[in-house]
Amino acid sequence: MTNYNQKSVLIIGATGNLGLQLLRHTAKDSEIDEVHVMARTPSKLDAADLSLVTSIEKGNARDTNDIEHALRKTKANYVILATGNGKDVSKSDTREATGRALATALQKEEFSQ
């Protein structure tokens, strides 16, 4: 998170339905320089989607340490949280847990700018 002129995006949860749509849309945006993804199972990305990303970080979106690691490695200055239950629309704590993990990570001074 050092070059403010460069738009570098980290998509957390990039292998789900919403995450894939965001990945494909973000990668086409000419104002975005780098698209990084964090996913529990990066192998779910097919070759076409892999060609769109600058880097892939394997990690659990509920784990603050995994998020911090991805933020450090990618140096992304934008984060998109695209986690959920896939096609299951029943109540779940997935979004709340991943949101809390991201919020906790972003409270660290190294990520607050």
Side-chain angles (χ1 to χ4, degrees), residues 1-104:
M1 292 193 194
T2 53
N3 185 349
Y4 295 106
N5 295 320
Q6 180 173 330
K7 289 187 180 176
S8 177
V9 177
L10 171 63
I11 301 173
I12 299 174
T15 58
N17 189 34
L18 175 60
L20 283 172
Q21 295 305 314
L22 288 165
L23 166 60
R24 293 167 184 157
H25 178 77
T26 304
K28 291 179 186 176
D29 188 329
S30 62
E31 293 187 18
I32 296 176
D33 300 296
E34 297 178 343
V35 178
H36 307 274
V37 300
M38 179 179 142
R40 228 180 10 215
T41 314
S43 61
K44 288 183 179 179
L45 293 170
D46 65 24
D49 293 323
L50 286 171
S51 71
L52 302 174
V53 302
T54 305
S55 73
I56 302 168
E57 300 302 321
K58 182 174 172 41
N60 185 337
R62 293 173 181 246
D63 187 326
T64 302
N65 292 323
D66 285 355
I67 292 173
E68 290 173 7
H69 176 77
L71 290 169
R72 281 187 198 102
K73 289 230 19 194
T74 65
K75 296 182 174 36
N77 47 19
Y78 295 90
V79 179
I80 298 173
L81 186 58
T83 57
N85 299 329
K87 294 179 181 178
D88 181 0
V89 294
S90 63
K91 180 122 173 82
S92 166
D93 72 336
T94 301
R95 288 181 185 89
E96 180 181 352
T98 56
R100 286 183 191 273
L102 177 58
T104 299

